[in-house]
Amino acid sequence: MKIFYAGLDIGGTNVKLGIFSAIDAYDRTDRNRSLQTSYREEFPVPGAGANLASVLVSEINKGLKAVKDEVSKSDVPGRSNGYGYGADEINLTGVGIAIAANCRPDGTVIGSTNLSNDFTGLKKRIEQAFGCPVYLANDADLAAAGEYACGAAQGSALSMTVTLGTGVGVGIVSGGQLLSGAHSAIGEIGHIKMFSSDEIFLRELSLKYGASPSPEYLSMTEHCGCGGEGCLEQYCSAQGMVRIAGLISEIDAIANGKNSVEEVESENKYKTPIDVFQAAEAGDTIAAKAIDEYCDILGRGIAAMSCVLDPYSIVISGGVSNAGKALMKPLQAAFETYAYPLSRTARLKQGKFGSYSGIWGAAVLASSGITGFFRG
């Protein structure tokens, strides 16, 4: 029998799925991790009215079939197929699910600021479909587990992994265990108040880049998904970077004679963080300013967390981290500006798995189980 695990990451926008093979069951004392991905795909998060469990079961079955089909292509009677096992020996042993939500260590979903899906009965439905244990945990926590077990935080006695995607979160691994906190809300860096209100942010940004804030401009205030204002996630999520670039573009244009916010908005060319980074690389000064502003806010937030944790390793993961040096260099500089003096020598590391850290962590969870993996 060949052991396989399914790892899923249900984010605020997309679901990622990986089918992982393992030579041995995951062992937290073993530095030579044996998990490897055999299949990977991504699809949009089902709408609030969809049967989430049915969609996930279907996609996992699709992934298992793809793996079995690939192995079957090499099956030759009486000969080794190069894999060392046949398609009929493939067995799904566990399923791990990372969710953009607060989850208790037993897998109970408490709530989410970015998802409206109903998770009731999800664990039981998938366990019934595949006859194996299913584990659920917060996506930032499992991104940290993936980077600790198999990626950039391996061997670190105390690490924090910052995930930058639809939301912003931190997972903390200490002594090989994920910390969860009294309310399963540890590491919610995305909801640190960076500004007393979004209007204050808009005013400061406008004055910083050369325009007196008009009433029309100040009317563009937004709330965070948690219901508050001025949260780090509003500015440092993927959409937060896009928003900052758009705002600076508007401020610059209005300062140079544009008649209205609406006129400027119609010309906004920044749709994704990739657009912002590519524009900056091509010499776009507005995009470059947006990246600096983004990193300044995020660097302050990470520095604040480091004052509390004093981690050995700080890993940056999630989709925005795929920008590499274009993100990491200004972010490191901002972190050093705000960090406690003794912590300024800490090097921020780009995660090994980028936006796929969550599925690696989910596979680690599936192979190790909940027992001993979390501690309050």
Side-chain angles (χ1 to χ4, degrees), residues 54-130:
S54 294
V55 172
L56 297 185
V57 167
S58 176
E59 293 294 339
I60 294 171
N61 276 322
K62 177 183 170 184
L64 285 172
K65 183 178 184 303
V67 173
K68 290 179 179 181
D69 287 348
E70 184 64 30
V71 173
S72 294
K73 290 177 184 177
S74 302
D75 282 344
V76 179
R79 292 174 54 190
S80 171
N81 63 6
Y83 287 93
Y85 55 90
D88 59 347
E89 297 178 82
I90 292 174
N91 182 64
L92 191 64
T93 307
V95 178
I97 304 176
I99 303 181
N102 296 110
C103 302
R104 294 194 181 97
D106 65 3
T108 303
V109 178
I110 304 170
S112 172
T113 60
N114 292 313
L115 289 170
S116 56
N117 302 82
D118 182 5
F119 298 102
T120 305
L122 178 65
K123 180 178 184 293
K124 182 178 179 180
R125 173 70 179 84
I126 298 176
E127 285 178 337
Q128 290 174 338
F130 297 104

Side-chain angles (χ1 to χ4, degrees), residues 258-272:
K258 290 289 184 181
N259 294 321
S260 69
V261 169
E262 286 79 6
E263 182 180 354
V264 177
E265 282 182 326
S266 68
E267 300 174 5
N268 187 11
K269 60 186 175 181
Y270 311 109
K271 307 299 182 187
T272 69

Side-chain angles (χ1 to χ4, degrees), residues 21-375:
S21 60
I23 298 171
D24 302 297
Y26 173 72
D27 178 0
R28 284 184 285 110
T29 64
D30 178 14
R31 298 301 180 199
N32 298 310
R33 308 307 185 188
S34 58
L35 286 172
Q36 59 184 12
T37 182
S38 300
Y39 173 87
R40 195 172 74 181
E41 72 160 320
E42 187 171 347
F43 52 94
V45 173
N51 188 321
L52 180 61
S54 294
V55 172
L56 297 185
V57 167
S58 176
E59 293 294 339
I60 294 171
N61 276 322
K62 177 183 170 184
L64 285 172
K65 183 178 184 303
V67 173
K68 290 179 179 181
D69 287 348
E70 184 64 30
V71 173
S72 294
K73 290 177 184 177
S74 302
D75 282 344
V76 179
R79 292 174 54 190
S80 171
N81 63 6
Y83 287 93
Y85 55 90
D88 59 347
E89 297 178 82
I90 292 174
N91 182 64
L92 191 64
T93 307
V95 178
I97 304 176
I99 303 181
N102 296 110
C103 302
R104 294 194 181 97
D106 65 3
T108 303
V109 178
I110 304 170
S112 172
T113 60
N114 292 313
L115 289 170
S116 56
N117 302 82
D118 182 5
F119 298 102
T120 305
L122 178 65
K123 180 178 184 293
K124 182 178 179 180
R125 173 70 179 84
I126 298 176
E127 285 178 337
Q128 290 174 338
F130 297 104
C132 65
V134 174
Y135 305 99
L136 285 75
N138 174 263
D139 57 348
D141 286 342
L142 291 188
E147 292 292 350
Y148 171 77
C150 314
Q154 282 191 66
S156 178
L158 176 60
S159 65
M160 56 180 273
T161 297
V162 184
T163 299
L164 307 172
T166 302
V168 180
V170 167
I172 303 161
V173 179
S174 176
Q177 292 181 301
L178 276 166
L179 305 187
S180 60
H183 305 95
S184 301
I186 201 167
E188 288 287 356
I189 188 176
H191 303 290
I192 291 176
K193 302 302 180 192
M194 305 305 292
F195 302 92
S196 57
S197 70
D198 195 43
E199 180 179 327
I200 294 296
F201 164 72
L202 292 176
R203 286 183 182 277
E204 290 185 6
L205 193 71
S206 181
L207 293 171
K208 184 175 182 178
Y209 292 105
S212 179
S214 67
E216 187 178 32
Y217 168 79
L218 293 176
S219 70
M220 297 190 301
T221 57
E222 295 182 0
H223 284 81
C224 179
C226 72
E229 283 189 59
C231 296
L232 182 142
E233 185 168 293
Q234 288 183 261
Y235 316 106
C236 298
S237 63
Q239 192 55 41
M241 174 178 283
V242 171
R243 183 186 182 218
I244 289 173
L247 287 170
I248 294 175
S249 179
E250 289 164 2
I251 292 164
D252 181 78
I254 291 171
N256 286 285
K258 290 289 184 181
N259 294 321
S260 69
V261 169
E262 286 79 6
E263 182 180 354
V264 177
E265 282 182 326
S266 68
E267 300 174 5
N268 187 11
K269 60 186 175 181
Y270 311 109
K271 307 299 182 187
T272 69
I274 293 173
D275 295 335
V276 180
F277 283 111
Q278 289 180 341
E281 187 178 7
D284 185 324
T285 57
I286 288 173
K289 290 175 181 177
I291 293 169
D292 285 343
E293 190 70 26
Y294 176 95
C295 290
D296 185 77
I297 298 171
L298 182 58
R300 268 195 290 145
I302 294 174
M305 287 287 291
S306 75
C307 284
V308 177
L309 295 173
D310 192 21
Y312 290 97
S313 299
I314 302 173
V315 177
I316 310 299
S317 72
V320 179
S321 73
N322 291 332
K325 290 182 180 179
L327 170 71
M328 299 303 296
K329 185 175 180 180
L331 183 56
Q332 179 74 44
F335 169 77
E336 291 175 5
T337 297
Y338 297 111
Y340 181 68
L342 290 177
S343 302
R344 287 174 189 162
T345 56
R347 305 303 301 174
L348 276 59
K349 304 177 183 178
Q350 183 180 0
K352 181 177 179 179
F353 304 116
S355 60
Y356 290 95
S357 295
I359 63 170
W360 278 87
V364 168
L365 180 61
S367 59
S368 66
I370 288 289
T371 305
F373 200 71
F374 283 91
R375 73 166 184 247

